[in-house]
Structures are given as C-alpha cells and as structure tokens.
Amino acid sequence: MAPSYWSLATAELSSADPVMADLVSRYGDLALVSRGDPFATLVRSIIGQQISVKAAEAVWGRFIAQIGTLMPARLLELGPEGLVGCGLSQRKIEYLLDLSASFASGRLCPDDWGGLDDEALILELTTVRGIGRWTAEMFLIFNLLRPDVFPLDDIGLQRAVFQHYFAGEKCSRQALADFGERWRPWRSVATWYLWRSLDPLPVEY
C-alpha cells in the first residue's frame, strides 16, 4: 500500500515540475512501499552497499538460504564463520554482527524511532558500524516512509538529476542540495521517481 501522502505529493510535484509530471505519468502505477521490519531493512541496506542492485539481490538470496530465520539472535548464534560463503565481505559480516548485537542488547530500539526527527534518527543509526548517512537515509525512505529525505550521496539520484535537469553535466554536492529544495516537502517522492527513470523496477530494502 502506498504511503498516505503519496497522491498529494505526486500532484504537487507534477504541478510544479514538468519533468516530475512526466515521470509520475510514466510510473504512476507504482509507489514506495515498506517491508515493515526495521532489522531486515538495515541488513538489506548493508548488504547492498557499494554493489549493484542485481548483485545485492543475488547475495541476499544466498544469505537468507544460509541463515534461515532473519533475526539478530540467529546471526549472533552463527557468528562470523556461519556467515562465510554467501558472498559477503569480511567487513560486511562484521557490520551485520554489530547491527545484530545492537538490536539484541536494546541499544537500538525501533519502538523509539517514531518520535525522532530525521536528523536525530540518522545520528542514532550511524553509531552502528557499517551504517553511514546513506544507509540511514535508505532506512528513513524505505522503512519509515519519511516523505522528505534527499540522499545527496546516492549515485543513482545524482545521475538522474544531472541527466534530466543539467543536460548530463555534473554539478557540485552543494548545487545538488540547493536544486533539491524545489521538491520540499516531498524530496523522498521526487527521489523515488528519479530512480525509476533509471530503472523502472522499484528497489526495496
């Protein structure tokens, strides 16, 4: 089910931006959805770091087949040796175990996150090894469905903005941030449609 704000967001983006109007028209039968499981979303995000979507899906499939039940306690039970062989780097194995320990100990408590604003939650998530700002922003977009996240370091977003608005020319990070202001308060939605312009199949974390 699409977020409650989706129709309003697409209408406002379309009325203010011809490029967005075209993208909404082309991909309007799809919408952002949440898998609902905070731990699974963060695990998927870590697995997907610095590899293609196709590669991430392949590793994810092998990972799930190997571990069985995706729970923090299960990953801690398997330990580093039990996660070898499914395509994960040693560093990503360390990240996943640190994430599992943070959930198991209560250091990360998803029940508290609804009351935190975006920046406060990004700050909390990035205390975990392997979770940088990009991973935290993916969590805000794909799990919590926050409407106004603009992941400046996302390569796909950069490519799409440069392609559609700058005739393929690159611009600085600050210029990209300034340009994104036109899409407030729906920058997550604009980002999602810009991603679709590069790959029509929705990415899910």
Side-chain angles (χ1 to χ4, degrees), residues 75-115:
L75 269 65
L76 293 172
E77 175 191 350
L78 289 169
E81 297 80 9
L83 298 180
V84 171
C86 56
L88 292 168
S89 67
Q90 187 60 43
R91 179 155 294 183
K92 285 187 180 180
I93 289 174
E94 293 171 3
Y95 292 165
L96 293 178
L97 291 175
D98 192 51
L99 176 68
S100 299
S102 296
F103 269 80
S105 68
R107 185 160 69 88
L108 288 182
C109 185
D111 292 342
D112 299 336
W113 293 347

Side-chain angles (χ1 to χ4, degrees), residues 32-123:
L32 182 64
V33 294
S34 172
R35 292 182 184 272
D37 181 341
F39 181 67
T41 296
L42 289 168
V43 169
R44 274 186 171 269
S45 297
I46 289 173
I47 288 175
Q49 289 173 357
Q50 298 180 320
I51 59 177
S52 70
V53 173
K54 184 177 181 180
E57 285 299 319
V59 174
W60 174 258
R62 295 197 297 271
F63 171 74
I64 290 297
Q66 185 161 316
I67 68 166
T69 303
L70 181 59
M71 296 179 64
R74 175 59 176 161
L75 269 65
L76 293 172
E77 175 191 350
L78 289 169
E81 297 80 9
L83 298 180
V84 171
C86 56
L88 292 168
S89 67
Q90 187 60 43
R91 179 155 294 183
K92 285 187 180 180
I93 289 174
E94 293 171 3
Y95 292 165
L96 293 178
L97 291 175
D98 192 51
L99 176 68
S100 299
S102 296
F103 269 80
S105 68
R107 185 160 69 88
L108 288 182
C109 185
D111 292 342
D112 299 336
W113 293 347
L116 298 179
D117 65 28
D118 292 352
E119 288 302 321
L121 183 48
I122 288 171
L123 186 63

Side-chain angles (χ1 to χ4, degrees), residues 10-33:
T10 54
E12 292 189 355
L13 288 169
S14 296
S15 67
D17 184 331
V19 171
M20 283 293 149
D22 177 60
L23 295 179
V24 169
S25 174
R26 275 195 273 166
Y27 306 110
D29 57 331
L30 303 171
L32 182 64
V33 294

Side-chain angles (χ1 to χ4, degrees), residues 122-144:
I122 288 171
L123 186 63
E124 178 165 335
L125 288 172
T126 53
T127 62
V128 179
R129 287 184 65 207
I131 297 182
R133 185 177 182 89
W134 177 87
T135 302
E137 288 170 336
M138 294 304 102
F139 183 82
L140 291 175
I141 294 172
F142 286 99
N143 187 272
L144 298 181

Side-chain angles (χ1 to χ4, degrees), residues 134-179:
W134 177 87
T135 302
E137 288 170 336
M138 294 304 102
F139 183 82
L140 291 175
I141 294 172
F142 286 99
N143 187 272
L144 298 181
L145 304 178
R146 296 285 176 93
D148 195 37
V149 180
F150 197 55
L152 285 171
D153 296 315
D154 186 85
I155 299 301
L157 172 63
Q158 294 172 11
R159 282 178 53 207
V161 171
F162 300 156
Q163 175 181 313
H164 290 293
Y165 296 94
F166 292 90
E169 295 292 324
K170 294 182 179 181
C171 66
S172 69
R173 191 175 189 277
Q174 184 58 55
L176 181 62
D178 293 343
F179 192 82

